[in-house]
Amino acid sequence: MERETLEQTLTVDGERFEVAERPDEPGTYDFTWLTGPNPDYGFTTRVHGADSLSTRQLEDSARDFLGQVDPDTGYIE
């Protein structure tokens, strides 16, 4: 059985992210930072040994990402 891509939009600390779980890689999520200063910038997170992450876990991943971003450049340095 083929998995569908699961997509959602999250708002974390006032920032919006589009989150998509890869259908061929369960537990792998691509985050696109919709409100960031750099178009199409984001990150990928993976979890091993689980089918999916909860909304809270996805929010925590986005929050961790935001904590690493340089406010002057909008990128992780």
Side-chain angles (χ1 to χ4, degrees), residues 41-60:
Y41 190 62
F43 67 100
T44 298
T45 191
R46 291 178 182 85
V47 61
H48 298 284
D51 285 335
S52 61
L53 293 175
S54 68
T55 299
R56 182 176 178 139
Q57 291 169 311
L58 294 171
E59 290 169 347
D60 288 345

Side-chain angles (χ1 to χ4, degrees), residues 1 5-6 16-17 28-31 44 52 60-62 76:
M1 184 169 126
T5 300
L6 301 175
R16 288 182 36 243
F17 293 86
T28 300
Y29 297 84
D30 295 311
F31 288 69
T44 298
S52 61
D60 288 345
S61 292
I76 293 177

Side-chain angles (χ1 to χ4, degrees), residues 31-33 38-42:
F31 288 69
T32 303
W33 189 10
N38 304 303
D40 299 320
Y41 190 62

Side-chain angles (χ1 to χ4, degrees), residues 2 4-5 7 10 12-13 15 19 34 41 47-50 61:
E2 191 172 312
E4 292 183 30
T5 300
E7 294 184 26
L10 293 177
V12 177
D13 299 339
E15 300 292 338
V19 182
L34 300 175
Y41 190 62
V47 61
H48 298 284
S61 292

